[in-house]
């Protein structure tokens, strides 16, 4: 983990969301998908807490964060800071996703904004020549990762509660078939979504085994070193500090 | 530079820098943020330890406020036995480590002070006896719960005093500091930490409420008020300022108002680089 000043080099606005591309070579080289970066969002120490961001793009020199629609005052500061400004970043935190050796078919699945954290991993899997499927659900089409952000070879399944994209309703009816195709799964969503994923894997794969699915625990962080204990949650058989043991866990560790 | 925090204790506890890593700033002494280490501080205070393991508070634990935050861990810790088993070697190593990077470089050790959990003050005397024999432990910090009265404070501190010769630091709630300072010193406190800020309650971002002492810069006015009140009255033991200190100017104000040392915690979590700058500045606080 390092603390560094990143230079805001690009801002992409898409409706109520923004993506900020930050140049921070030492940080970008250490960062992997699923590892959060704690970003100072304000000047003069206000707001006093950093905001937690999962990278939606990573290269050798830069990483990109996504500002989702929100009323957060820290995010509001980020929406207006000029390109060329310096932003204080602390990261990477904890353990990110890792595609296991020897897999061919990788299922990426998630919910709404959380699923954006899978994007760097999807691109990585594609460059490794793996078969990639992304299955995401959300309230409406604008919440979802758009098809144009995916590699050409990737298969995409969408579900929206309002029916504005993909199948109307939830993703759950599709999961058994997708899970039986996959050699491994990477997920980002809410805890309830992971329970459904575990049940679907149980049913379609004759049991959920360790090593099959990695999931991103939904948490925000204060210090990222484990000292503050603000992220402690009931996971992996006890009340653990998510920033040290995760935030990416094996799905079996989230089962109660 | 040498600052004696326990001048009336036969063991004493001297610091080579007035800057102390406050309770749990680095967990039990191992969880340092980037660019910081024990050698940059005059002493470190561990996270609170209890007699038995405590699972602590469920989520949510953290809620943001303008100028600070609320953090409710519920004294989450694995109990003293496991803490000693897992950390005593580290404490011995820290206690024998000379200040080198930004310290005075005079080869003095970095004392480790163990904080005892405020959720069970009736266990403090037993815990004190256990830590008395730990070679890496230089002192104990007792954090009096909010709304502690004089009889309870005197009884708890007195019991610890009888159980150990270790220097004992008592952290007072800022709103009761004037009330409790003299009785705490009379009961055996070697120094007073000023202090635990008032309690607040705030809804967390993801739902639920967090109730805890206010933390971060918002705590500083409470610290300053209590410190000034005690400085005016005079205090028979050294005072340590804690709460909301963010920079060398804040620290210097505390020293000017009568504190002999400063504890920082949030700063290590939120801005480790600023904590490193403060550690550097505290090498010579009068200049800073």
């Amino acid at each position: 983990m390092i603390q560094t000043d990143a230079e805001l080099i690009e801002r992409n606005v898409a409706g109520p969301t923004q993506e900020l591309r930050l140049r921070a070579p030492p940080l970008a080289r250490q960062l992997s998908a699923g590892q959060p970066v704690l970003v100072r969002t304000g000047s003069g120490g206000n707001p006093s807490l950093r905001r937690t961001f999962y990278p939606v793009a990573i290269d050798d020199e830069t990483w990109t964060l996504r500002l989702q629609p929100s009323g957060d005052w820290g995010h509001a500061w980020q929406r207006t800071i000029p390109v060329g400004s310096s932003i204080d970043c602390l990261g990477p935190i904890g353990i990110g996703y890792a595609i296991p050796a020897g897999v061919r078919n990788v299922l990426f699945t998630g919910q709404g904004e959380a699923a954006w954290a899978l994007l760097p991993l999807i691109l990585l899997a594609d460059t490794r020549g793996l078969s990639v499927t992304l299955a995401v659900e959300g309230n409406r089409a604008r919440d979802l990762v758009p098809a144009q952000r995916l590699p050409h070879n990737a298969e995409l399944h969408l579900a929206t509660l309002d029916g504005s994209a993909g199948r109307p309703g939830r993703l759950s009816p599709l999961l058994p078939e997708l899970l039986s195709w996959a050699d491994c799964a990477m997920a980002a969503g809410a805890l309830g979504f992971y329970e459904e994923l575990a049940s679907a894997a149980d049913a379609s794969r004759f049991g959920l085994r360790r090593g099959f699915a990695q999931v991103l625990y939904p948490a925000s962080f204060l210090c990222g070193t484990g000292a503050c204990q603000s992220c402690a949650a009931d996971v992996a058989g006890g009340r653990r500090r998510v920033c040290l043991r995760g935030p990416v866990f094996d799905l079996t560790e989230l089962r109660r | 530079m040498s600052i004696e925090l326990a001048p009336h204790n036969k063991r004493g506890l001297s610091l080579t820098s007035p800057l102390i890593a406050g309770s749990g700033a680095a967990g039990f002494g191992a969880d340092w943020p980037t660019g910081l280490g024990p050698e940059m501080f005059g002493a470190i205070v561990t996270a609170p330890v209890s007699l038995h393991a405590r699972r602590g508070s469920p989520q949510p634990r953290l809620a943001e406020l303008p100028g600070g935050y609320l953090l409710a861990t519920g004294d989450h810790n694995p109990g003293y036995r496991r803490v000693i088993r897992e950390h005593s070697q580290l404490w011995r190593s820290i206690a024998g480590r000379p200040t080198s990077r930004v310290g005075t470089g005079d080869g003095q050790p970095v004392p480790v002070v163990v904080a005892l959990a405020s959720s069970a003050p009736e266990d403090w005397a037993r815990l004190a006896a256990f830590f008395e024999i730990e070679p890496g432990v230089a002192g104990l910090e007792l954090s009096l719960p909010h709304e502690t009265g004089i009889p309870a404070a005197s009884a708890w501190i007195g019991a610890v005093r009888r159980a150990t010769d270790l220097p004992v630091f008592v952290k007072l709630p800022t709103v009761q500091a004037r009330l409790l300072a003299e009785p705490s010193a009379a009961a055996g406190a070697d120094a007073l930490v000023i202090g635990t800020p008032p309690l607040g309650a705030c809804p967390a971002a993801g739902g639920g409420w967090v109730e805890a002492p206010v933390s971060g810069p918002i705590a500083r006015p409470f610290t300053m008020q209590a410190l000034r009140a005690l400085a005016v009255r005079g205090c028979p033991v050294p005072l340590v300022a804690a709460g909301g200190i963010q920079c060398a100017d804040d620290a210097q104000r505390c020293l000017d108002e009568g504190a002999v040392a400063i504890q920082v915690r949030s700063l290590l979590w939120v801005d480790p680089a600023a904590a490193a700058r403060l550690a550097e500045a505290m090498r010579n606080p009068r200049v800073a």
Side-chain angles (χ1 to χ4, degrees):
Chain A
M1 183 172 78
I2 59 170
Q3 184 177 0
T4 187
D5 281 334
E7 181 192 2
L8 174 59
I9 59 170
E10 189 179 352
R11 177 197 307 280
N12 288 310
V13 181
T17 66
Q18 289 191 9
E19 288 185 19
L20 307 186
R21 189 165 171 232
L22 303 167
R23 183 193 300 281
L27 175 60
R29 286 182 203 125
Q30 292 183 27
L31 192 58
S32 64
Q35 284 187 302
V37 179
L38 309 185
V39 179
R40 203 79 198 241
T41 58
S43 56
N46 229 344
S48 59
L49 299 185
R50 292 171 181 268
R51 298 299 187 258
T52 301
F53 289 99
Y54 293 90
V56 299
I58 308 168
D59 62 34
D60 280 349
E61 299 270 312
T62 71
W63 72 283
T64 302
L65 64 82
R66 178 178 160 85
L67 288 168
Q68 61 191 64
S70 81
D72 180 81
W73 47 321
H75 291 182
W77 178 84
Q78 286 181 307
R79 286 176 200 285
T80 56
I81 185 173
V83 170
S85 302
S86 240
I87 298 181
D88 181 355
C89 300
L90 189 63
I93 306 299
I95 300 163
Y97 294 103
I99 299 171
V103 299
R104 289 191 56 81
N105 301 333
V106 188
L107 172 65
F108 296 90
T109 185
Q111 291 181 300
E113 285 289 338
W116 283 81
L118 297 166
L119 204 47
L121 198 67
I122 292 172
L123 299 176
L124 179 67
D126 184 65
T127 58
R128 290 185 186 174
L130 305 178
S131 295
V132 170
T133 294
L134 172 64
V136 285
E137 66 178 21
N139 291 327
R140 60 190 80 79
R142 81 167 193 208
D143 296 341
L144 306 179
V145 178
Q148 58 266 32
R149 297 294 291 267
L150 300 177
H152 293 305
N153 297 330
E155 187 176 311
L156 178 62
H157 297 271
L158 302 177
T160 48
L161 289 180
D162 69 355
S164 54
R167 72 182 305 278
R170 300 287 314 279
L171 198 60
S172 20
L174 299 178
L175 286 177
E177 186 184 341
L178 294 171
L179 287 167
S180 48
W181 164 82
D183 296 325
C184 73
M186 309 283 170
L191 293 177
F193 180 71
Y194 298 151
E195 285 177 20
E196 292 173 10
L197 189 65
S199 300
D202 261 342
S204 58
R205 299 183 61 85
F206 306 105
L208 173 65
R209 64 175 169 78
R210 188 174 177 83
F212 173 69
Q214 296 170 28
V215 299
L216 183 64
Y217 194 94
S220 293
F221 303 95
L222 200 172
C223 73
T225 65
C228 73
Q229 306 197 64
S230 68
C231 62
D234 295 330
V235 63
R239 190 159 284 176
R240 316 282 185 201
R241 291 174 289 183
V242 173
C243 65
L244 296 183
R245 293 285 292 260
V248 173
F249 290 90
D250 193 279
L251 180 55
T252 56
E253 294 182 313
L254 264 63
R255 299 203 95 171
R256 291 170 191 270
Chain B
M1 181 191 303
S2 181
I3 298 159
E4 182 53 60
L5 270 191
H8 307 303
N9 186 294
K10 65 183 179 186
R11 293 201 193 200
L13 197 153
S14 56
L15 312 179
T16 55
S17 161
L19 189 66
I20 299 171
S23 177
F28 292 106
D31 302 325
W32 292 95
T34 180
L36 291 176
E39 68 279 5
M40 302 169 84
F41 294 86
I44 69 166
V45 185
T46 70
V49 182
S50 57
L51 197 58
H52 305 291
R54 294 182 67 90
R55 284 173 59 78
S57 307
Q59 289 289 340
R61 290 184 167 194
L62 182 66
E64 189 170 50
L65 305 168
Y69 60 92
L70 303 178
L71 175 64
T73 64
D75 286 338
H76 183 177
N77 80 96
Y80 83 94
R81 282 195 184 88
R82 192 167 146 197
V83 169
I84 289 174
R85 189 169 68 242
E86 294 181 355
H87 298 282
S88 65
Q89 192 171 350
L90 171 69
W91 294 342
R92 284 197 294 273
S93 153
I94 293 172
R97 182 178 300 186
T99 52
S100 56
R101 292 177 62 180
V102 296
T104 56
D106 56 4
Q108 292 299 307
V110 182
V112 176
V113 175
V114 172
L116 306 187
S118 61
S119 46
E122 63 277 7
D123 294 335
W124 284 349
R126 286 182 67 191
L127 284 166
F130 293 127
F131 285 109
E132 160 97 0
I133 55 173
E134 278 303 314
V137 176
L140 300 174
E141 182 176 288
L142 317 176
S143 184
L144 292 179
H146 285 88
E147 298 177 11
T148 301
I150 292 173
S154 300
W156 292 329
I157 297 165
V160 171
R161 184 71 291 158
R162 288 189 292 278
T164 180
D165 290 335
L166 285 169
V168 173
F169 308 124
V170 176
K171 189 171 185 179
L172 303 178
T174 52
V175 293
Q176 291 165 279
R178 285 177 64 176
L179 177 72
L180 295 175
E182 284 185 18
S184 297
D190 291 295
L192 300 177
V193 182
I194 310 298
T196 306
L199 287 167
C202 185
W209 283 79
V210 178
E211 191 168 323
V214 298
S215 294
I218 194 174
R220 190 168 59 246
F222 301 105
T223 301
M224 295 307 301
Q225 188 277 333
L227 197 59
R228 285 164 58 86
L230 289 179
V232 167
R233 289 171 54 147
C235 188
V237 294
L239 298 175
V240 178
I245 295 159
Q246 301 288 302
C247 62
D249 284 346
D250 295 344
Q252 189 59 55
R253 280 188 201 103
C254 293
L255 297 175
D256 291 343
E257 293 299 333
V260 300
I262 298 107
Q263 287 190 3
V264 286
R265 187 182 70 154
S266 298
L267 192 61
L268 276 74
W269 296 345
V270 173
D271 194 347
R277 288 194 297 274
L278 178 58
E280 179 75 41
M282 285 295 101
R283 292 175 66 184
N284 190 345
R286 289 292 152 190
V287 172

